[in-house]
Amino acid sequence: MRSFSNLWYWIALAVTWSSASHWVLGVPWDMAIRARKSESDAPMRDFQDLVRVNTNRILFVARESGLLLAGLVAFAMTSVALMGFVYDSEFAQAIFLLGFPLLLVALLSVRTAHIIQDQALAGEALIKRIQRHRLHIQLIGMASIFVTAMWGMYQNMNANVLS
């Protein structure tokens, strides 16, 4: 269970953050670019419709089962953190370093969905809000990759592979 020395973990980390940066609120980023650059209204309408559908879905889940999800996620993250950093399980550390920043992205997505719905954003204002949200996801991702890389190198340097 040597996660930080496993190439597949690092591939999974890169794919996770690449996907999180591309699928902003469940909407592919290329749709926002196409909507901004297009001369016709159809790409903008498609983009706005997809954002509306996904923000409604995110807010529905948050309203209907947000408290239950918060409790379950808090239990799971606390359990993984304890197994990883108190009981020294490298696999649990790897899961925590992958999952905790994604939890921050999920909370940020709920907040952004609230803002989009409350302000009834559309057109260029909607694209700017989604772009700002994407930037925050990328910043969280960069910090996450940096912390994970530093912790992984520390674990690999302290690993006693012969015993």
Side-chain angles (χ1 to χ4, degrees):
M1 296 302 247
R2 295 288 326 274
S3 300
F4 296 113
S5 62
N6 191 334
L7 178 63
W8 289 107
Y9 177 75
W10 298 104
I11 291 171
L13 184 72
V15 168
T16 297
W17 286 111
S18 175
S19 296
S21 177
H22 179 70
W23 292 90
V24 183
L25 291 178
V27 179
W29 178 243
D30 61 292
M31 283 189 76
I33 294 170
R34 195 174 324 121
R36 179 179 277 164
K37 291 182 178 181
S38 179
E39 298 293 326
S40 72
D41 287 346
M44 182 60 82
R45 277 196 317 269
D46 291 345
F47 173 71
Q48 290 177 162
D49 289 342
L50 198 51
V51 169
R52 180 185 48 80
V53 166
N54 284 319
T55 55
N56 287 340
R57 181 182 55 85
I58 289 168
L59 293 176
F60 175 77
V61 169
R63 287 184 188 117
E64 293 297 318
S65 57
L67 186 60
L68 179 65
L69 277 175
L72 289 174
V73 169
F75 172 76
M77 291 307 291
T78 301
S79 299
V80 170
L82 286 173
M83 284 188 291
F85 298 103
V86 175
Y87 296 111
D88 205 31
S89 167
E90 189 174 313
F91 181 71
Q93 291 172 1
I95 295 297
F96 182 81
L97 290 172
L98 187 62
F100 183 74
L102 290 174
L103 177 61
L104 298 177
V105 169
L107 293 173
L108 188 64
S109 295
V110 171
R111 180 177 167 265
T112 301
H114 271 294
I115 291 170
I116 288 170
Q117 199 170 65
D118 290 346
Q119 296 178 1
L121 296 178
E124 190 63 32
L126 178 61
I127 292 174
K128 284 184 181 181
R129 173 54 70 176
I130 296 290
Q131 186 175 14
R132 185 176 306 130
H133 180 65
R134 182 173 187 252
L135 176 65
H136 290 143
I137 290 173
Q138 289 173 333
L139 292 173
I140 292 170
M142 286 189 316
S144 170
I145 291 170
F146 178 77
V147 168
T148 303
M150 292 298 111
W151 185 257
M153 282 189 285
Y154 172 76
Q155 290 292 70
N156 285 335
M157 287 190 303
N158 287 334
N160 193 356
V161 293
L162 297 177
S163 63

